[in-house]
């Protein structure tokens, strides 16, 4: 198969000329991931026409590769009946994600057009919160009863594997459908003839509760290098599995969400908002930060006598205000990341705090010495060098402490630490840094100059 550009050109020619039979034969040779990439380059009516000439299974695979906002107009273009047929070919978790974007009445219409078993599975998933394990799990997995022999279990796998999203793990349940173990296909094949599954299974498998936050699910999968993790309810009954591809989607979405929050523009599907909606999301934060900047200006006004007495202090105000804000943002980013990945937990928190503050003292001390040297040589004033160097060192150490403690504090309060935004800590440090600067300047110059 040629490169994407060549494939796209051939598909376009088939569509323009209306040669649908050779188009359908050609599409069978193209990988569905490439088709999804190519589909994005066409106009909506061409996308719909292209999907009409894919069998339902391939169309489902292609749609699974697209973003949810790209799929909705395609479903409308295909019509409810054709869309429902494609949806029931998709993994249940993907179908539930797509329908979850639609109004409830639309969901009901699609579900009524799907076959009963698939519709029931999708409807069940729609009941779980999107941020939970239940919201991202699939109900298509392989499970066997612990009382079966290996030969009987292999027969069950053969009957159900085609519908399962993955067969790397075979989960073992008891008569109450409670998860009691896990066994691999290799272990089943190599077991002695007539051996019972209960005898060869591994007991106490790692599992997550259906209400577990999806970020925690991602951490479990990453920690144990799972390809899938089972999901149970409060009674330990097996409900579904979360596969690694869904975990990768979670990691990407959460990283994007945290990044937007750090910039104080957090909003789900932010890039899909209109210009006015985006402005409305940003303005409240920016207005709050504007008042913070005014507060920083009032600090300068409060120390206007000191500034008037030593005009050279004004030269270093941008450095004193900006440097600590940058340090605080760096520290906060490290802490937010550590809290998100679980690297910073209750056992390590004290050590992390002390280490970060020590880092702040080293960074502040070195930066302070450099700035003091610049001030002393540039303006020929050792006293001014002492003021700016001491102020920068103290402000950077303070910024590190705030950048460390603030995310920990709001995390303890049950708030997402990513809300400890970069603009917030930068504005706070502008105020604190200037207060430190002019307080040190006032004390030192008053002491030595009078």
């Amino acid at each position: 198969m040629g490169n994407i550009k060549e494939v796209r050109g051939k598909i376009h020619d088939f569509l323009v000329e209306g040669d649908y039979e050779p188009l359908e034969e050609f599409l069978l040779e193209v990988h569905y991931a490439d088709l999804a990439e190519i589909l994005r380059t066409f106009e909506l009516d061409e996308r719909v026409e292209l999907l009409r000439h894919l069998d339902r299974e391939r169309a489902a695979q292609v749609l699974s590769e697209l973003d949810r906002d790209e799929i909705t107009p395609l479903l409308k273009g295909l019509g409810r009946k054709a869309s429902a047929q494609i949806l029931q070919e998709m993994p249940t978790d993907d179908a539930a994600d797509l329908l979850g974007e639609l109004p409830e009445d639309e969901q009901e219409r699609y579900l009524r057009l799907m076959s009963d078993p698939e519709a029931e599975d999708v409807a069940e998933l729609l009941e779980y919160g999107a941020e939970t394990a239940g919201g991202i799990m699939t109900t298509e997995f392989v499970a066997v009863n612990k009382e079966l022999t290996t030969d009987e279990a292999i027969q069950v796998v053969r009957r159900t594997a085609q519908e399962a999203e993955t067969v790397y793990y075979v989960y073992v349940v008891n008569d109450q459908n409670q998860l009691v173990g896990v066994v691999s296909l290799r272990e089943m094949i190599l077991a002695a003839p007539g051996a019972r599954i209960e005898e060869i299974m591994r007991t106490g498998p790692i599992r997550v509760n259906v209400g577990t936050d999806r970020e925690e699910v991602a951490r479990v999968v990453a920690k144990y290098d799972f390809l899938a993790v089972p999901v149970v309810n409060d009674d330990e009954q097996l409900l579904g599995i979360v596969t690694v591809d869904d975990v990768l989607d979670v990691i990407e979405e959460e990283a994007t969400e945290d990044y937007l929050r750090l910039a104080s523009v957090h909003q789900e599907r932010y890039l899909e908002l209109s210009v006015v909606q985006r402005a409305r999301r940003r303005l409240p934060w920016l207005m709050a930060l504007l008042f913070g900047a005014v507060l920083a200006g009032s600090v300068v006004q409060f120390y206007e006598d000191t500034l008037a007495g030593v005009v050279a202090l004004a030269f270093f105000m941008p450095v004193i205000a900006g440097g600590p804000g940058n340090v605080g943002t760096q520290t906060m980013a490290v802490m937010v990341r550590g809290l998100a990945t679980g690297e910073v937990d209750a056992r390590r928190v004290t050590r992390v705090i002390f280490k970060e503050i020590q880092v702040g003292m080293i960074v502040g001390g070195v930066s302070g010495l450099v700035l003091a040297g610049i001030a002393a040589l540039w303006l020929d004033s050792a006293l001014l060098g002492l003021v700016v160097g001491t102020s920068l060192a103290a402000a950077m150490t303070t910024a590190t402490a705030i950048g460390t403690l603030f995310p920990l504090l709001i995390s303890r309060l049950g708030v997402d630490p990513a809300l400890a935004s970069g603009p917030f800590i930068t504005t706070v440090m502008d105020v604190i840094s200037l207060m430190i600067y002019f307080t040190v300047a006032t004390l030192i110059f008053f002491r030595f100059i009078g």
Side-chain angles (χ1 to χ4, degrees), residues 165-433:
E165 188 161 340
T166 177
V167 291
Y168 292 110
Y169 306 116
V170 176
Y171 299 100
V172 184
V173 297
N174 59 20
D175 292 336
Q176 289 74 46
N177 196 42
Q178 293 173 316
L179 180 65
V180 294
V182 64
V183 64
S184 69
L185 287 175
R186 182 174 184 273
E187 290 168 331
M188 291 169 59
I189 293 170
L190 295 178
R196 290 169 56 197
I197 291 297
E198 186 176 21
E199 297 170 356
I200 65 170
M201 72 180 186
R202 283 165 282 162
T203 59
I206 303 295
R207 80 284 305 275
V208 294
N209 185 273
V210 69
T212 301
D213 186 272
R214 65 179 191 168
E215 286 189 76
E216 178 61 27
V217 177
R219 282 195 284 270
V220 170
V221 171
K223 178 179 180 180
Y224 296 102
D225 291 327
F226 283 158
L227 294 174
V229 62
V231 181
V232 299
N233 60 17
D234 293 338
D235 296 323
E236 293 298 316
Q237 293 174 317
L238 183 60
L239 300 179
I241 62 172
V242 175
T243 54
V244 69
D245 60 317
D246 294 315
V247 167
L248 291 174
D249 292 338
V250 168
I251 292 172
E252 180 182 357
E253 290 175 17
E254 292 294 340
T256 301
E257 181 180 300
D258 287 351
Y259 184 82
L260 290 175
R261 281 180 168 172
L262 286 171
S264 295
V265 292
H266 168 63
Q267 171 68 28
E268 290 184 9
R269 317 295 281 281
Y270 175 77
L271 296 179
E272 298 172 25
L273 299 177
S274 68
V275 172
V276 174
Q277 288 174 318
R278 294 187 195 189
R280 285 172 58 189
R281 292 291 181 264
R282 295 189 188 193
L283 276 173
W285 270 103
L286 293 176
M287 289 298 100
L289 299 177
L290 179 63
F291 283 108
V294 171
L295 180 59
S298 69
V299 171
V300 177
Q301 183 182 22
F302 183 79
Y303 289 100
E304 61 182 345
D305 291 340
T306 302
L307 185 59
V310 187
V311 178
L313 289 171
F315 298 159
F316 299 96
M317 284 174 57
V319 180
I320 298 297
N326 294 334
V327 171
T329 301
Q330 286 180 334
T331 305
M332 186 197 63
V334 171
M335 293 303 298
V336 171
R337 175 63 180 164
L339 289 167
T341 60
E343 293 180 67
V344 178
D345 55 24
R347 294 173 299 160
R348 300 187 184 96
V349 66
T350 303
R351 185 174 64 178
V352 169
I353 292 172
F354 281 115
K355 277 196 172 183
E356 283 301 313
I357 292 177
Q358 288 171 350
V359 170
M361 293 173 68
I362 293 172
V363 170
V366 173
S367 301
L369 285 173
V370 171
L371 189 62
I374 292 173
L377 294 173
W378 182 26
L379 299 174
D380 193 25
S381 172
L383 201 59
L384 182 61
L386 177 63
V387 169
V388 296
T390 302
S391 300
L392 185 62
M396 282 188 165
T397 303
T398 303
T400 305
I402 293 175
T404 303
L405 295 172
F406 186 60
L408 289 170
L409 175 62
I410 65 172
S411 179
R412 288 285 180 88
L413 296 175
V415 180
D416 191 331
L419 290 173
S421 64
F424 170 82
I425 197 167
T426 300
T427 303
V428 168
M429 285 314 305
D430 284 348
V431 176
I432 294 176
S433 298

Side-chain angles (χ1 to χ4, degrees), residues 60-77:
Q61 290 174 324
V62 171
L63 289 180
S64 296
E65 293 293 311
L66 300 176
D67 294 332
R68 277 176 279 179
D69 59 296
E70 297 175 301
I71 299 174
T72 303
L74 292 175
L75 294 181
K76 291 181 179 178

Side-chain angles (χ1 to χ4, degrees), residues 36-95:
E37 182 179 342
I38 292 168
L39 198 68
R40 293 187 173 98
T41 67
F42 287 111
E43 296 298 325
L44 178 60
D45 58 339
E46 294 174 311
R47 297 181 193 181
V48 172
E49 188 65 31
L50 182 55
L51 286 172
R52 290 189 192 281
H53 293 281
L54 290 172
D55 63 68
R56 289 182 297 176
E57 185 176 352
R58 291 271 284 169
Q61 290 174 324
V62 171
L63 289 180
S64 296
E65 293 293 311
L66 300 176
D67 294 332
R68 277 176 279 179
D69 59 296
E70 297 175 301
I71 299 174
T72 303
L74 292 175
L75 294 181
K76 291 181 179 178
L78 288 167
R80 289 199 187 98
K81 185 174 181 180
S83 297
Q85 291 174 338
I86 293 174
L87 285 170
Q88 69 184 32
E89 293 295 332
M90 299 178 73
T92 53
D93 54 333
D94 291 339

